[in-house]
Amino acid sequence: MARIPDSVIAEVLNRADIADVVGSYVSLKSKGGSLWACCPFHGEKTPSFSVNPKMGIFHCFGCNKGGNAIGFIMEYERLSYPEAIRFLADKYGVEIPDSRFDNEDDKLRKAKERVYGILKEACKYFYYSLYDEDKGREAMEYATSRGLDSNTLKHFGIGFAPDEWDGLYNTVRALGYTDEEMMQSGLFTRTKNGNVVDLFRKRLMFPIFDVRDNIIAFGGRAIEKDEDRKYINSPDSLVYNKKKHLYALNWAKKEKSGQIIIVEGYMDAIAMHRAGFRNTVASLGTAFTDDQLKLCARYTNNGEVVFFFDADRAGQMAAIRAIPMMCDFLRKNDKSHIRIKIAKVPDGKDPDEFIKANGAEAFAQVVKNALYVEDYLLDRAYNDNLDRSSGLDSGKYQEDVCLYGSWLTDEIARSKMANAAANKLGASADAVLKQMDALSSRKASYEDLENARRADRAKQADIESRNREIVQTEESITDQVSETVVSDLATNDEIMLFAYAMSLQERLTDPAVLNKTDILRPSDFSGDTMKTIVKRFLELYNEESGVPFALMMDTFREVTINGTPSEVVLAKACGKAMDSGNTLSRRDMYLGHLYRIRIKAIEDRERLLIDRYSLATGDDKDRIRQELQKIAEYKDQLMKAGNSL
Ligand SMILES: [Zn+2]
């Protein structure tokens, strides 16, 4: 595929003024340093959607969407990244050269080859460890208890990561791979002291393949019940993006059955394959994405996609979140001929349990009984609001059913739903349809409905706002929990430090504003992600002296910070930074964060040296004493500088 050259992207972002881009869809009003509007992405009456023309970004404080002009167009026009660039290039008269560019430069391709090599070696290592009579005994007992026989273990390449910090590390290292390469594989993590160690320990390991049969990641399942995280998956890496792959698709695609079954976990997928449903794939510990749906569409040749969601509340909420995305996908890709069905395992079991208890034939019936999306939603709306004693809550039923109907892009399906609902409500189908259409043009989501209900319940305005806060905290907590691997967290201080640095723009290196020693450094940041971002920022900065924020975000559009797309995190932080006053007050905020971070780093180092000091002898002792002395002086300076802010 032809890649759009970076210079073109920079030019597009340069010409496509964010206020102009957004302003052609919603009307913006100026307040403070920003422009405000009611958010086009979630229903609201008071504006919480802000545009910062100086930084070239938008951010919604309500639904947390944010990004640059390209991001806005992707979201609003439902376009892919290259499509959005072309869209803007067209509109703002930037020419995209027609020549075909290389897919990836040679260096990147080679780096990927190395990572594939590491992952393959890791797979072997895990496999042999499982069969190691000593190290692997407990894991083998567990695997056997879960019904994984030797054929299954072999077919799926299942292995075991022993309870060691350096087992895999030493194995891979001995084969000549560097720490850097190992970090890119997603199988290792760095300790506080910078040592590279194994990420997966004491877990059953499931290799994840891409459709070309390369191993690209692993899922690790705890073999002990009390382990607090049952599943850990590889984080996104040089070769793996969890949103763009499906477990077992490499096998499922060979079935060519015109149908793909999607389950939530790889144990379920394996159970289904063993029971003969080899067209099953599993999403990889994340909400189902449209990239994954695209894969399904491709490999079913636009046939049928059957979803299994867990019967518990989390699984059913996942269904309600996934359905509007799927309907949207069908509309924007003109794929309304793919049939999407939702299946439900009886008695709240998961597929694995059900097959064990009832056999493959019974399960085939379950697959057959899967409902079309509109029928599933109708059932949901009815059953969710049915109370055994008081009957159907028709107010809530109406709300649910109208919302669900608004998601459907197929008009026949929508009117079918409206008819059925009208019957239950004793209303005309026309009235129901009208309501569905109204919600559809507002792009209403389930969250909107939940929020409205929450607001209804809260009598006073302050209770209302408190509730919202609680919900947000809960969401951020679940976000953290569901993000399975956190190998390099960025602290809030670090994110804000970077945001303030960006907000200073070309003044960051102005000696009248900042001393040279007070310019941020990659080493001020603890995690690899932030280090990389800051390093690239400084490189870009030195090329251009001041980096257009929108361009900066674009450079890191694939990167996540603490599990959230960096675009969202940085847009929010930078919006906050820009709103905090003039250059000098932003400078002071910047320094406050910088000193706090540096003092903390110094204190960590100090503690380490003091530990070493007690063990050291002779010259070493002197050297450590000198360093401690220097550190104390530097810390003193920083404290003073911090206090004078
Ligand atoms: Zn919003």
Side-chain angles (χ1 to χ4, degrees), residues 38-44 48-49 59-65:
C38 285
C39 177
F41 305 124
H42 81 277
E44 63 173 3
S48 46
F49 178 90
H59 175 73
C60 174
F61 291 89
C63 64
N64 234 354
K65 291 210 160 86

Side-chain angles (χ1 to χ4, degrees), residues 514-521 524 594 598 634:
L514 274 187
N515 292 326
K516 211 168 171 190
T517 48
D518 287 337
I519 295 171
L520 78 175
R521 299 185 281 255
D524 288 322
L594 182 75
R598 287 191 179 168
Y634 184 41

Side-chain angles (χ1 to χ4, degrees), residues 598-618:
R598 287 191 179 168
I599 287 169
K600 192 183 161 293
I602 283 174
E603 285 172 346
D604 288 348
R605 177 87 187 140
E606 220 173 9
R607 262 194 296 277
L608 189 81
L609 285 175
I610 289 169
D611 283 351
R612 276 197 205 153
Y613 184 75
S614 57
L615 301 172
T617 51

Side-chain angles (χ1 to χ4, degrees), residues 309-321 323 342 344 371 373-386 392 396-397 400-401 404 407 417 446 450:
F309 290 99
D310 283 354
D312 59 12
R313 189 177 145 73
Q316 292 304 302
M317 279 314 293
I320 284 296
R321 296 226 160 81
I323 288 170
I342 313 281
K344 212 167 154 184
L371 297 173
V373 170
E374 62 268 27
D375 294 322
Y376 169 81
L377 289 171
L378 262 175
D379 273 13
R380 267 297 289 270
Y382 185 73
N383 291 323
D384 284 356
N385 296 301
L386 188 66
L392 183 68
K396 281 190 175 166
Y397 173 74
D400 280 1
V401 94
Y404 297 162
W407 295 339
M417 213 167 152
Y446 193 75
E450 279 198 318

